[in-house]
């Protein structure tokens, strides 16, 4: 059961939703409001996991890495077929930081940035307790 839900801010949240679904395979659950430039709250699903997105707001201290020029964290996502996922992301125009490689801790993974600079690691590593 998921108990940590990442919240990401985007300047163009609706564009980010479309892009994350196309490039990384997320599925939009909902966005509030349903139309318009500003997204107050949205949820995307990847398998059994959910992430939350919203538009950048000047009053809450959370912003897009594009605003800062740097990302301060990465989201690590388990995928069964790293190479197929990599090809999907690359074909959709994802910025590849590191192509797929085998790590010294038993994972196969690649590192990428989304269209506003959030760093993502897609791989086969599952931390202790990260079972299904």
């Amino acid at each position: 059961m998921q108990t940590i839900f990442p919240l990401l801010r985007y300047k163009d949240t609706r564009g980010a939703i479309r892009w994350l679904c196309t490039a990384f395979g997320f599925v939009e659950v909902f966005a509030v409001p349903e139309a318009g430039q500003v997204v107050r709250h949205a949820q995307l699903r990847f398998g059994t996991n959910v992430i939350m997105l919203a538009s950048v707001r000047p009053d809450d201290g959370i912003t897009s890495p594009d605003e800062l020029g740097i990302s301060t964290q990465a989201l690590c996502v388990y995928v069964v077929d790293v190479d197929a996922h990599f090809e999907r992301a690359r074909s959709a125009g994802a910025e590849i930081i590191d192509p797929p490689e085998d790590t010294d801790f038993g994972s196969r993974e690649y590192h990428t940035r989304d269209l506003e600079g959030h760093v993502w690691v897609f791989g086969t590593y599952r931390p202790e307790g990260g079972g299904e």
Side-chain angles (χ1 to χ4, degrees):
M1 174 176 70
Q2 182 176 343
T3 60
I4 297 175
F5 301 89
L7 169 61
L8 305 174
R9 293 280 198 244
Y10 289 90
K11 294 181 293 185
D12 177 7
T13 309
R14 296 209 192 274
I17 290 168
R18 288 188 299 276
W19 192 89
L20 291 166
C21 291
T22 299
F24 293 163
F26 281 90
V27 174
E28 182 178 353
V29 177
F30 69 82
V32 176
E34 292 181 12
Q37 184 177 359
V38 174
V39 175
R40 178 77 181 130
H41 180 79
Q43 291 183 9
L44 302 183
R45 183 175 41 81
F46 189 90
T48 60
N49 297 287
V50 171
I51 63 170
M52 301 181 297
L53 286 71
S55 297
V56 170
R57 297 192 268 281
D59 61 342
D60 71 356
I62 306 171
T63 193
S64 167
D66 261 4
E67 297 279 318
L68 296 175
I70 190 169
S71 182
T72 62
Q73 86 290 316
L75 290 96
C76 300
V77 181
Y78 171 81
V79 294
V80 174
D81 188 338
V82 172
D83 296 286
H85 195 275
F86 167 78
E87 287 303 326
R88 176 184 186 151
R90 189 173 60 82
S91 295
E95 177 189 345
I96 305 302
I97 300 168
D98 293 310
E101 64 182 0
D102 296 324
T103 69
D104 58 356
F105 52 89
S107 179
R108 181 158 182 78
E109 64 186 35
Y110 77 96
H111 301 200
T112 184
R113 280 189 183 87
D114 68 23
L115 70 171
E116 288 196 23
H118 293 283
V119 176
W120 297 79
V121 178
F122 291 94
T124 59
Y125 182 71
R126 295 180 110 172
E128 186 75 28
E132 294 183 38

